[in-house]
């Protein structure tokens, strides 16, 4: 299969299949819809694998305007993103087969779920800034129905908040895009940056402002302070598998965009040592700390997990902001680890809601006795998020901390690892109580009333796979590590 | 083609319009056929002319000296004439259905068709006097259209419209006089006609006059202190609001300012002066002001009217950058906005026509009952927001590109205004879309049982506009090349 066809297919197939599901008005029974969705997810998975095996090439689809082509290009970093997306998306999709039973409008949910899949694949394949921006906006629009799925007043308000924060961020980024159009040699992502230094001379401040706006703008999706407020509102109101996908993947789109802008357009050298880097580091660290604190205080499990996402995403951003290969390696590792872990955590929360209806952490006493497998998975991935060896989280945090110490940036060199450590403690503080209460309910727990309510295999299997993945990448990181280190080294 | 054709495309719809109340039509159907034929034939004539452009000019009347009413089809005229003649037949088709239940149909269609001719007159004017003449005439023939329903509200609105327009024209008149006195010719010449060598002492006076004339013509283009007529005029039937108050009339204002800036005073004279900064600041302010008002407004059509105010200032912002690229941006947005806004207005009109509802909060759950109308409305909303792949993104991109290349700090502020306006656009358009498609939990669809999509006469123009938005959004290059030629005075 030619390369352009294989990339296009992987993008268009889920989009079209999802649209078909949305448009067709016939009343199908549930089984048919699920079978259809399952098949589409499977085929998309195969198509993505097929795309991953192609060599890196640049495909110009067409010229939107003169010098503004729409380009697809799958490089090492894009492949990494695509791999995470498809694993998480397919697993969370399987989970929704059971979970969505107790929600209405399943067809709409699955329709948009598939369309979003395609758009995310497109985002990973985007070869220049315009293409990426287009997919970025599409992603906001098509993931919106997932957020407001149950159409309660709360969900709609949260959805609007999501939408407008996202657009606000996207338009801030667009401001930078306009300037990049003029001051770069090409908008195609090129390792090391494409700034046209002759034109830039004399306009450095302007471009730094543009860079800053782009970072903050794309940072909205990644839940970075100061525009993070939408995330803890919007993620928990969605149905659990959608929250898992949003918190595991969609937020990573912001990370992807920031990496693309920093390392592939501006170039690390242009930003290193400027006020933009310090601002970026400061925002990231503030967010890490603030997110953990808020998560620690929060009692509703899904909200707590959403705050945790805010905090963890800024670990990744911190690693990027260090602008050195070690930090970037840590970021990419954490991106992978967090995707699996956060998805698993949200799915656990979903399984608990589905089986027992409990949403509050305080009510979870003895839950481990009722659904041992689910809570075991929860525990394993929690340990991963805290960063206890041999889980994936440990490796990534190790690299992040080493990167910070290596960076030699006065202040941040030590402040970074300290904040990461404090946040790790807080992470333990907000995640482990679920396990502790779940397995050790205390003397007053009434064991006679206990009934097993382990969820069905469509729910448990994805959980187990995700938990296993999070451990595997920590225990056998070498292959992945050398792949990532090669990418990171190529960017500096 | 012969130059006389220039006169014919202006006179034919004008005369055919006047005849409408006089002709003894058997029934409504015949009248519809007659009107549609007139409009379509005229549009075909215009498009034929565009592809076989007469080089010369046609002088209709000659007053003293160099004062005359003359027609000429240059590049800029081609764009505007092409735009209105592409939209007019579709809008007419739509209004047949819309006007079914309204009274005084004949009078309505008489003025509606006459306006076509007058607008083409503005487009093809070869000098500032002819343009001024048709500009005044446009006010006169469109006032009855605003007045149409004869309600108290309509009377007040038409009075406001009349006073604002005539007042604006008076300022424009002052500008015209100065051009006649200080210019080497009254014809439109790319690059300006001012004879600077002789009048170096009156530079500031001329700049002041430019600002005055800008504001004068700006009344029709709804710039900020003079924009309140536009939302009020929303009481007119939807075909009028959509075609005239989103395209023909308001864009005549923008078009006149293009003529004034690029073809009379000349950008070389204006660029970098306080006059440029003044007018640019006004447009930037209007961009944000219009959007903010649209967010506050609850009446569907008035909300779209405020959106028009903001979008018209995108065009004006582009042309106040005063570079060829700026003019390209302005022209691109002129075309793109025309398609997007007429489309969203027609959707609003379809809702009003089929259900009589006109407030945003009454639209809960309509998406499922009017899937076609609201599907199209959603696309137009995305286009207005500037989602890539649709035409709004292209025009915004071009405007911003021009602003960046001009290296003018105020223009950078303008880009920020464009983006603030984009986020506000997202707010005021998407809240409607979300209401329609995702009503609150437990919404009772029985309460809107009677709501349904309109018939093909309304859906057809809408679908064509969608095609237009997508084509312009994905393949704008030929048009942009044309605009670039026009903006460089090559076409």
């Amino acid at each position: 299969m030619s390369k352009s066809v294989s990339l296009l297919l992987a993008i268009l197939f889920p989009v079209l299949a999802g649209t078909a599901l949305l448009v067709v008005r016939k009343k199908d029974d549930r089984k048919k819809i699920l079978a259809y969705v399952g098949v589409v997810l499977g085929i998309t998975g195969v198509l993505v694998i097929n795309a991953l095996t192609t060599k890196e090439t640049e495909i110009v689809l067409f010229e939107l305007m003169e010098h503004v082509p729409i380009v697809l290009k799958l490089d090492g970093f894009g492949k990494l993103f695509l791999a995470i997306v498809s694993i998480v998306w397919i697993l969370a999709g399987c989970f929704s087969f059971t979970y969505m039973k107790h929600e209405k409008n399943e067809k709409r949910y699955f329709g948009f779920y598939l369309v979003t899949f395609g758009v995310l694949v497109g985002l990973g394949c985007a070869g220049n800034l315009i293409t990426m921006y287009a997919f970025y906006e599409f992603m906001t629009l098509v993931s919106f129905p997932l957020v407001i799925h149950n159409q309660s007043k709360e969900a709609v308000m949260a959805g609007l908040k999501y939408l407008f924060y996202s657009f606000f961020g996207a338009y801030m980024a667009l401001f930078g895009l306009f300037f990049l159009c003029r001051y770069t040699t090409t908008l195609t992502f090129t390792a090391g940056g494409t700034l046209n230094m002759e034109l830039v001379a004399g306009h450095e401040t302007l471009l730094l402002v543009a860079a800053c706006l782009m970072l903050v703008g794309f940072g909205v999706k990644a839940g970075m302070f100061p525009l993070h407020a939408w995330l803890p509102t919007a993620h928990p109101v969605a149905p659990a598998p959608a929250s898992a996908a949003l918190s595991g993947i969609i937020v990573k789109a912001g990370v992807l965009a920031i990496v693309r802008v920093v390392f592939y357009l501006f170039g690390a050298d242009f930003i290193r040592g400027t006020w933009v880097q310090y601002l970026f580091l400061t925002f990231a660290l503030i967010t890490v700390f603030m997110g953990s604190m808020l998560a620690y205080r929060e009692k509703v499990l899904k909200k707590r997990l959403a705050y945790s996402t805010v905090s963890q995403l800024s670990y990744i951003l911190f690693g990027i902001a260090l602008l050195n290969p070690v930090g970037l390696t840590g970021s990419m590792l954490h991106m992978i680890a967090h995707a699996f872990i956060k998805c698993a955590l949200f799915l656990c929360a979903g399984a608990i809601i589905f089986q027992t209806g409990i949403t509050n952490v305080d009510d979870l006493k003895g839950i481990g006795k009722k659904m041992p497998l689910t809570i075991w998975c929860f525990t394993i991935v929690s340990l991963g998020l805290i960063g206890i060896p041999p889980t994936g989280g440990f490796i990534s945090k190790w690299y992040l901390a080493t990167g910070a110490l290596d960076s030699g940036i006065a202040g941040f060199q030590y402040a970074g690892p300290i904040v990461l450590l404090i946040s790790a403690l807080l992470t333990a503080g907000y995640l482990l109580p679920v396990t502790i209460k779940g397995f050790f309910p205390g003397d007053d727990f009434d064991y006679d009333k206990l009934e097993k309510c382990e969820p069905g295999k469509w729910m448990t299997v994805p959980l187990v796979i995700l938990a296993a993945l999070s451990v595997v990448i920590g225990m056998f990181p070498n292959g992945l590590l050398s792949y990532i280190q090669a990418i990171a080294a190529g960017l500096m | 083609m012969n130059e006389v054709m220039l006169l014919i495309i202006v006179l034919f719809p004008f005369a055919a319009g006047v005849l409408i109340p006089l002709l003894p039509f058997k029934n409504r159907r015949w009248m519809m056929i007659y009107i549609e034929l007139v409009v379509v034939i005229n549009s075909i004539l215009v498009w034929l002319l565009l592809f076989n452009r007469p080089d010369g000019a046609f002088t209709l009347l000659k007053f003293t000296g160099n004062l005359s009413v003359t027609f000429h089809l240059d590049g800029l005229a081609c764009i505007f004439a092409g735009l209105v003649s592409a939209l007019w037949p579709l809008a007419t088709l739509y209004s047949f259905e819309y006007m079914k239940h309204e009274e005084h149909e004949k009078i309505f269609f008489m003025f509606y068709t006459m306006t076509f001719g007058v607008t083409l007159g503005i487009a093809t004017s070869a000098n500032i006097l002819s343009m001024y003449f048709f500009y005044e005439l446009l006010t006169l023939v469109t006032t009855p259209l605003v007045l149409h329903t004869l309600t108290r509200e309509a009377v007040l609105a038409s009075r406001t419209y009349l006073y604002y327009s005539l007042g604006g024209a008076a300022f424009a008149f002052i500008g015209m006089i100065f051009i006649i006195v200080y210019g080497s010719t009254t014809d439109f010449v790319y690059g300006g006609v001012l004879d600077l060598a002789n009048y170096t002492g009156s530079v500031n006076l001329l700049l002041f006059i430019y600002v005055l004339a800008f504001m004068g013509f700006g009344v029709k283009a709804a710039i900020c202190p003079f924009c309140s007529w536009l939302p009020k005029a929303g009481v007119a039937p939807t075909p009028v609001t959509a075609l005239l108050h989103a395209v023909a009339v308001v864009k005549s204002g923008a078009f006149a300012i293009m003529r004034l800036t690029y073809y009379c005073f000349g950008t070389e004279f204006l660029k970098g002066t306080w006059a440029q900064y003044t007018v640019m600041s006004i447009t930037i302010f209007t961009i944000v002001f219009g959007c903010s008002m649209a967010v506050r407004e609850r009446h569907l059509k008035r909300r779209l009217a405020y959106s028009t105010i903001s979008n018209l200032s995108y065009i004006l912002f582009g042309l106040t950058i005063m570079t060829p690229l700026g003019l390209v941006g302005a022209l691109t947005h002129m075309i793109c906005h025309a398609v997007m806004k007429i489309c969203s207005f027609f959707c609003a009109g379809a809702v009003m026509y089929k259900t009589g509802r006109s407030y945003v909060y009454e639209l809960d759950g309509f998406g499922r009952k009017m899937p076609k109308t609201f599907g199209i409305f959603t696309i137009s909303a995305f286009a207005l927001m500037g989602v890539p792949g649709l035409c709004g993104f292209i025009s915004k991109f071009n405007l911003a590109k021009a602003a960046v290349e001009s290296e003018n700090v105020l223009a950078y502020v303008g880009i920020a205004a464009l983006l603030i306006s984009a986020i506000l656009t997202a707010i005021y358009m998407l809240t409607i879309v979300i209401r329609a498609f995702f009503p609150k939990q437990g919404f009772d669809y029985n309460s809107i049982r009677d709501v349904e999509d309109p018939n093909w006469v309304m859906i057809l123009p809408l679908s064509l506009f969608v095609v237009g938005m997508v084509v312009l959004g994905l393949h704008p290059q030929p048009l942009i090349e044309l605009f670039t030629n026009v903006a460089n005075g090559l076409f």
Side-chain angles (χ1 to χ4, degrees):
Chain A
M1 213 186 307
S2 83
K3 284 158 192 156
S4 55
V5 176
S6 73
L7 288 190
L8 269 182
L9 256 184
I11 299 169
L12 288 182
F13 177 73
V15 171
L16 294 179
T19 317
L21 197 60
L22 291 172
V23 174
V24 173
R25 279 209 155 181
K26 223 171 70 185
K27 279 227 162 171
D28 290 306
D29 59 312
R30 192 162 184 272
K31 267 191 184 149
K32 269 188 196 162
I33 296 177
L34 293 190
Y36 175 80
V37 175
V39 169
V40 172
L41 282 175
I43 296 177
T44 315
V46 173
L47 288 172
V48 170
I49 291 169
N50 176 42
L52 288 177
T53 54
T54 55
K55 277 223 183 78
E56 180 183 332
T57 37
E58 199 182 313
I59 304 149
V60 180
L61 283 187
F62 62 96
E63 292 251 323
L64 192 61
M65 278 174 282
E66 216 177 353
H67 311 307
V68 187
I70 297 295
V71 180
L72 295 182
K73 181 176 156 186
L74 194 54
D75 57 2
F77 184 59
K79 283 183 180 174
L80 196 68
F81 182 76
L82 235 59
I84 311 172
V85 168
S86 25
I87 293 173
V88 170
W89 214 259
I90 290 173
L91 290 175
C94 294
F95 184 91
S96 359
F97 289 166
T98 316
Y99 185 86
M100 294 309 288
K101 211 184 268 173
H102 76 180
E103 301 262 355
K104 286 182 198 156
N105 283 327
E106 274 183 281
K107 233 164 113 177
R108 189 178 75 200
Y109 171 83
F110 282 115
F112 280 109
Y113 192 79
L114 293 176
V115 174
T116 314
F117 193 5
V119 172
L120 282 165
V121 173
L123 194 67
C125 297
N128 71 6
L129 188 56
I130 301 272
T131 319
M132 188 183 78
Y133 178 78
F135 279 115
Y136 193 83
E137 284 222 351
F138 297 156
M139 179 186 71
T140 305
L141 289 171
V142 294
S143 58
F144 169 77
L146 299 178
V147 175
I148 62 159
H149 184 78
N150 71 23
Q151 286 171 236
S152 63
K153 196 174 161 75
E154 193 199 354
V156 173
M157 292 319 282
L160 289 176
K161 201 166 171 186
Y162 167 62
L163 203 59
F164 299 138
Y165 266 79
S166 295
F167 273 114
F168 188 69
Y171 290 134
M172 275 171 90
L174 191 58
F175 188 84
L177 184 149
F178 293 140
F179 285 91
L180 278 181
C181 273
R182 175 160 160 82
Y183 291 102
T184 52
T185 45
T186 165
L187 283 183
T188 307
F189 298 132
T190 316
T194 63
L195 280 187
N196 184 345
M197 285 307 169
E198 276 171 37
L199 275 178
V200 170
H203 295 96
E204 282 89 358
T205 318
L206 181 67
L207 278 167
L208 284 176
V209 171
C212 178
L213 284 174
M214 290 186 95
L215 289 177
V216 176
F218 283 129
V220 171
K221 262 270 151 49
M224 188 173 71
F225 174 84
L227 294 168
H228 61 281
W230 66 275
L231 199 152
T233 321
H235 283 185
V237 296
S243 328
L246 284 166
S247 247
I249 297 300
I250 302 259
V251 288
K252 302 290 187 309
V255 176
L256 174 94
I258 287 179
V259 170
R260 291 294 196 200
V261 168
V262 172
F263 295 104
Y264 291 83
L265 291 171
F266 281 103
D269 294 333
F270 182 72
I271 295 175
R272 190 176 293 126
T274 61
W275 58 271
V276 175
Q277 187 189 9
Y278 299 134
L279 192 72
F280 191 19
L281 282 166
T282 315
F283 280 168
L285 284 185
I286 291 176
T287 322
V288 167
F289 182 69
M290 191 188 61
S292 296
M293 266 326 259
L294 290 169
Y296 188 70
R297 284 181 47 200
E298 180 61 54
K299 288 293 174 208
V300 177
L301 183 56
K302 273 173 88 181
K303 277 197 182 159
R304 179 177 285 191
L305 295 177
Y307 279 119
S308 158
T309 302
V310 172
S311 153
Q312 297 294 327
L313 253 286
S314 279
Y315 278 63
I316 304 175
L317 297 181
F318 176 72
I320 295 170
L322 289 171
L323 298 175
N324 65 21
V326 184
L328 187 60
T329 309
S331 285
M332 290 191 196
L333 278 172
H334 202 62
M335 195 168 133
I336 303 169
H338 178 257
F340 297 148
I341 291 172
K342 194 44 64 64
C343 181
L345 287 173
F346 265 110
L347 293 187
C348 286
I352 294 171
I353 293 172
F354 186 76
Q355 294 291 356
T356 65
I358 297 174
T359 54
N360 204 311
V361 180
D362 292 338
D363 303 335
L364 286 174
K365 263 188 189 168
I367 192 78
K369 306 282 177 193
K370 291 181 196 161
M371 16 196 342
L373 189 57
T374 312
I375 301 302
W376 265 110
C377 289
F378 190 92
T379 311
I380 292 170
V381 293
S382 300
L383 294 179
L385 204 62
I386 300 162
I388 292 170
T391 54
F394 170 69
I395 310 276
S396 54
K397 287 190 185 176
W398 173 266
Y399 272 91
L400 286 172
T402 329
L405 290 171
D406 280 356
S407 69
I409 304 168
F412 292 102
Q413 188 180 1
Y414 300 110
I418 291 171
V419 173
L420 295 194
L421 267 180
I422 296 174
S423 168
L425 272 178
L426 287 168
T427 310
Y430 64 73
L431 284 178
L432 290 182
V434 176
T435 308
I436 295 169
K437 275 186 201 145
F439 284 122
F440 309 105
D443 292 341
D444 50 346
F445 187 69
D446 189 356
Y447 280 91
D448 301 334
K449 276 191 186 167
L450 186 77
E451 25 181 331
K452 286 268 180 193
C453 54
E454 198 72 68
K457 61 176 182 303
W458 281 111
M459 287 183 147
T460 49
V461 171
L463 272 176
V464 173
I465 296 176
L466 285 167
L469 277 173
S470 78
V471 177
V472 166
I473 54 168
M475 285 171 75
F476 309 104
N478 288 334
L480 189 64
L481 204 53
S482 55
Y483 180 76
I484 289 176
Q485 274 169 336
I487 300 175
L491 291 178
M492 308 292 176
Chain B
M1 262 186 175
N2 200 316
E3 286 82 20
V4 186
M5 290 297 292
L6 291 174
L7 178 65
I8 290 177
I9 57 166
V10 175
L11 274 191
F12 175 58
F14 196 85
V18 174
L19 283 179
I20 291 173
L22 306 175
L23 289 176
F25 294 111
K26 244 190 227 150
N27 52 29
R28 188 170 184 273
R29 200 185 163 76
W30 281 105
M31 185 184 76
M32 277 161 50
I33 292 172
Y34 168 77
I35 297 169
E36 189 66 28
L37 266 182
V38 168
V39 175
V40 168
I41 289 172
N42 205 49
S43 288
I44 292 173
L45 283 180
V46 171
W47 279 87
L48 281 177
L49 266 178
L50 297 185
F51 286 103
N52 310 286
R53 237 156 23 109
D55 291 327
F58 179 82
T59 304
L60 177 66
L61 291 170
K62 208 162 166 59
F63 306 117
T64 56
N66 53 7
L67 296 182
S68 62
V69 174
T70 309
F71 301 102
H72 175 61
L73 200 63
D74 66 349
L76 200 65
C78 280
I79 293 168
F80 192 44
L83 173 69
V84 290
S85 50
L87 296 177
W88 220 282
L90 293 173
T92 309
L93 191 65
Y94 177 92
S95 37
F96 291 143
E97 179 70 19
Y98 190 90
M99 298 304 291
K100 223 181 222 168
H101 307 311
E102 305 258 348
E103 290 168 27
H104 320 298
E105 250 191 315
K106 279 189 174 172
I107 302 290
F108 173 84
F109 280 111
M110 174 176 106
F111 285 110
Y112 202 63
T113 316
M114 281 162 72
T115 312
F116 190 17
V118 177
T119 313
L120 286 175
I122 293 182
T124 56
S125 299
N127 58 33
I128 193 159
L129 182 72
S130 341
M131 189 174 78
Y132 178 78
F133 170 69
F134 282 109
Y135 198 79
E136 288 276 29
L137 203 57
L138 184 67
T139 309
L140 298 178
V141 292
T142 50
T143 306
L145 292 171
V146 180
L147 196 58
H148 181 80
T149 53
L150 292 178
T151 55
R152 195 181 141 71
E153 214 186 350
V155 174
L156 286 177
S158 67
R159 200 179 292 166
T160 316
Y161 173 59
L162 202 61
Y163 292 164
Y164 270 80
S165 291
L166 292 180
F171 283 112
F173 185 78
I174 300 174
M176 181 180 84
I177 299 296
F178 273 79
I179 285 296
I180 291 170
V181 174
Y182 282 78
S184 50
T185 162
T186 56
D187 287 349
F188 295 129
V189 179
Y190 180 80
V193 296
L194 283 188
D195 212 356
L196 270 180
N198 303 331
Y199 302 104
T200 37
S202 18
V203 170
N204 271 328
L205 174 67
L206 277 173
L207 288 175
F208 176 69
I209 296 300
Y210 169 74
V211 175
L212 266 193
F214 183 96
M215 308 284 257
F217 283 123
V219 169
K220 274 238 164 64
I223 57 170
C224 198
F226 314 117
C227 58
S228 67
W229 66 269
L230 187 59
K232 278 187 193 160
V235 294
T238 304
V240 175
T241 344
L243 184 62
L244 303 187
H245 297 156
V247 183
V249 171
V250 289
K251 292 212 163 88
S252 296
F255 179 79
I257 293 177
M258 285 179 196
R259 287 292 197 200
L260 187 76
T261 311
Y262 287 80
Y263 292 78
C264 290
F265 281 88
T267 48
E268 222 159 281
F269 174 65
L270 297 167
K271 208 171 161 193
T273 61
W274 61 267
Q276 185 194 7
Y277 292 113
T278 311
V279 292
M280 195 188 268
S281 312
I282 293 172
T283 60
I284 291 173
F285 180 75
T286 314
I287 288 174
V288 179
F289 172 80
C291 277
S292 321
M293 292 303 286
V295 173
R296 279 185 52 193
E297 181 61 58
R298 295 221 181 140
H299 188 275
L300 184 53
K301 265 171 77 182
R302 277 204 291 274
R303 178 177 283 194
L304 293 176
Y306 277 117
S307 156
T308 307
I309 292 176
S310 154
N311 274 283
L312 284 169
S313 276
Y314 283 32
I315 304 175
L316 298 183
F317 167 69
L319 67 90
T320 51
I321 295 172
M322 307 214 178
T323 58
L325 266 178
L327 187 58
V328 172
L331 287 171
T332 319
H333 198 65
M334 188 162 106
I335 303 290
C336 293
H337 174 251
V339 181
M340 306 186 284
K341 191 46 67 64
I342 203 170
C343 183
S344 45
F345 259 125
F346 277 1
C347 289
V351 172
M352 288 175 74
Y353 170 73
K354 292 302 287 187
T355 70
R357 290 165 172 88
S358 55
Y359 281 89
V360 172
Y361 50 76
E362 295 172 321
L363 300 179
D364 277 354
F366 273 37
R368 191 178 290 183
K369 294 287 176 181
M370 305 178 80
K372 288 178 198 146
T373 312
F374 272 90
I376 292 167
F377 185 81
T378 309
I379 296 173
S380 73
F382 289 168
L384 277 167
M385 284 158 54
V387 173
L390 295 164
C391 58
F393 180 72
I394 302 294
S395 54
K396 223 163 264 178
F397 188 89
N398 277 309
L399 285 169
K401 188 174 149 198
V404 171
E405 306 242 329
S406 74
E407 297 192 2
N408 176 340
V409 179
L410 190 58
Y412 295 164
V413 178
I415 302 180
L418 287 185
L419 295 173
I420 291 170
S421 150
I423 181 79
L424 293 174
T425 308
I427 293 175
Y428 67 72
M429 291 304 275
L430 288 188
T431 41
I432 303 173
V433 172
I434 289 163
R435 234 171 222 295
F437 280 104
F438 307 103
K440 294 218 178 68
Q441 205 171 21
F443 176 75
D444 180 16
Y445 275 98
N446 280 328
S447 61
I448 50 168
R449 247 196 330 265
D450 54 326
V451 176
E452 56 173 10
D453 263 326
N455 63 5
W456 71 271
V457 180
M458 281 189 165
I459 294 294
L460 176 74
L462 286 174
S463 326
L464 289 176
F465 293 138
V466 170
V467 172
M469 285 191 279
V470 175
V471 170
L472 280 173
L474 291 179
H475 191 58
Q477 193 52 34
L479 261 184
I480 289 175
E481 265 161 32
L482 171 73
F483 295 159
T484 312
N485 284 336
V486 169
N488 287 305
L490 300 174
F491 182 72

